[in-house]
Amino acid sequence: MQRVVVVGSGDGGTFTANLLASALHDEIHGGLVSVQLVGEHLKHPFQPGNLDVAFKGASPDKYVKDETELIRKEIEFVQDPAAKIDFQAKSVATKGGRTLTYDYLVIATGAVADPSKIPGLAEGSLNFHTGPEDSRRIWEALQTFNGGTVAVAIAGTPHKCPPSPNEAAFMLDEFFRKRGIRDKVTIRFLTPYPRPYPAEKISRVVEPMFQERGIEVSTFFNMDSVDPVDKKVNSLEGEEFQYDLLIAVPPHHGADVIIDSGIGDQDGYVHTDKGTMKVAGQRGVYAIGDATDIPVSKSGVVAHLQSVVVAHNIVAEINGSNDMLEYNGRINCPMEVGQHKAIFVSATYASPPTDQSPSMIKYVMKRSFAMIYWRALNGSLERIFDVFFGQTRFPVKEQVEPQNPVAVKPIEQSARAA
Ligand SMILES: Cc1cc2nc3c(=O)[nH]c(=O)nc-3n(C[C@H](O)[C@H](O)[C@H](O)COP(=O)(O)OP(=O)(O)OC[C@H]3O[C@@H](n4cnc5c(N)ncnc54)[C@H](O)[C@@H]3O)c2cc1C
């Protein structure tokens, strides 16, 4: 019996488990392979929906489904958070007291937005990165905000969805224009980067739009503390800004289980090969998505594309094949810029983002993803994604010695039949 344990039932973990269950369907039914998915929550959120909850008033329930609706029936869903991952014992201990041993492990525990990391931030700010309920609090605050300064701040990097702070500023601008009080509101964007968007070519697109909409920018602003009583935000550089409403992207770190298990870096991210997604120094252990220390955007698209590589590689290993794949660093993050337009921040490890014009087609594509996300998790849209994203995986040059071979179908054939 080959045991695959996937820890984390978010975007990447759910998709990887589904790909594996599809590819290994016969082996699972034949008792040769098992796939267990360890999750904290029954509810699975579509996290980009937080922006709509915060700035368009969507219901927090709109972008949530039960995990059990999203996974294939070959998968055992263990709704019991992992407490400790032990690489030596090849086991995952759950908070509920179970010990799951594995031959292959996928770490997909994501990243945690944590306002407590900056003094005063939790008390003095609202945010749309800790979940739909907190996002709703922004919408409620906006209903009674009749004028003053709204600061949109990046309080730490890296954070989930690099374009999301810029989107927040654009969406706020649109919101106040619709309410007819834009002239009474100052929107100030506080960023630690030297320009409005970290990638220079994208910043060249964002900057003139910020100017045109009257969104003020303060660069090199590394947030140090927030004074929630006097409503001031301070930077390490010694700057201070007064605000009436502070909407901040909190600092992020890796999941508690990574930190508690001592298997991450100082921020709790897992040291992972940026091509094969193998965890450094471990056999049969992979990490994907926001949980890794790879310097690529923490985004669902990245988790998705890495999942395909990891599922393929695990099936190859189980199959005794050296046919391993590498992810090429493809990112594709949408940024809504108001006026029913959007851009996509697209790049690979080898090619940085290029500048582009905002368009309504990109806006429609961004919006439609909220509808297709749930289907994307079962692998049935892979043909479309392959056309859209182009080639995102390549054969590994270095051959990897397989372990415990069991003959199964290649992932590319079987997953797409799902
Ligand atoms: C406001 C916002 C907007 C975004 N917009 C976009 C966008 O437009 N496009 C895009 O591509 N991405 C976007 N993202 C980012 C995207 O949602 C994440 O990058 C993506 O979900 C990462 O997938 P993941 O599987 O790595 O982590 P997640 O989907 O976060 O899943 C991690 C899972 O691990 C679980 N977990 C943690 N610890 C444990 C434990 N001990 N035991 C068991 N389970 C555990 C968590 O509960 C969670 O279910 C956005 C994010 C936010 C917050």
Side-chain angles (χ1 to χ4, degrees), residues 177-198:
R177 280 177 202 279
K178 277 190 188 151
R179 270 192 64 197
I181 58 164
R182 182 64 182 91
D183 56 336
K184 296 192 176 71
V185 180
T186 299
I187 301 176
R188 183 174 278 277
F189 189 75
L190 306 174
T191 174
Y193 293 109
R195 45 188 167 258
Y197 193 82

Side-chain angles (χ1 to χ4, degrees), residues 7-13 38-41 47-48 50-51 80-83 108-111 128-129 160-161 164 255 257 288-291 298-301 303 332-334 366:
V7 184
S9 58
D11 191 345
V38 183
E40 281 186 301
H41 309 291
Q47 296 179 42
N50 290 357
L51 281 155
D80 181 4
T109 44
F128 52 95
H129 280 73
K160 293 188 207 197
C161 189
S164 61
V257 64
I288 50 172
D290 296 354
K298 295 204 177 294
S299 66
V301 169
N332 194 70
C333 297
K366 193 229 153 160

Side-chain angles (χ1 to χ4, degrees), residues 170-242:
F170 282 123
M171 290 169 99
L172 274 171
D173 170 72
E174 191 157 70
F175 171 82
F176 288 123
R177 280 177 202 279
K178 277 190 188 151
R179 270 192 64 197
I181 58 164
R182 182 64 182 91
D183 56 336
K184 296 192 176 71
V185 180
T186 299
I187 301 176
R188 183 174 278 277
F189 189 75
L190 306 174
T191 174
Y193 293 109
R195 45 188 167 258
Y197 193 82
E200 195 174 351
K201 294 218 167 146
I202 298 298
S203 206
R204 276 191 222 157
V205 181
V206 170
E207 206 165 338
M209 287 191 288
F210 267 17
Q211 276 167 8
E212 184 193 299
R213 318 263 169 97
I215 299 169
E216 299 172 11
V217 180
S218 297
T219 53
F220 296 110
F221 190 92
N222 288 287
M223 194 184 287
D224 186 38
S225 64
V226 175
D227 180 341
V229 178
D230 287 342
K231 299 201 165 191
K232 286 182 188 155
V233 53
N234 305 296
S235 76
L236 288 170
E237 293 78 9
E239 278 185 287
E240 177 183 277
F241 285 110
Q242 192 87 42

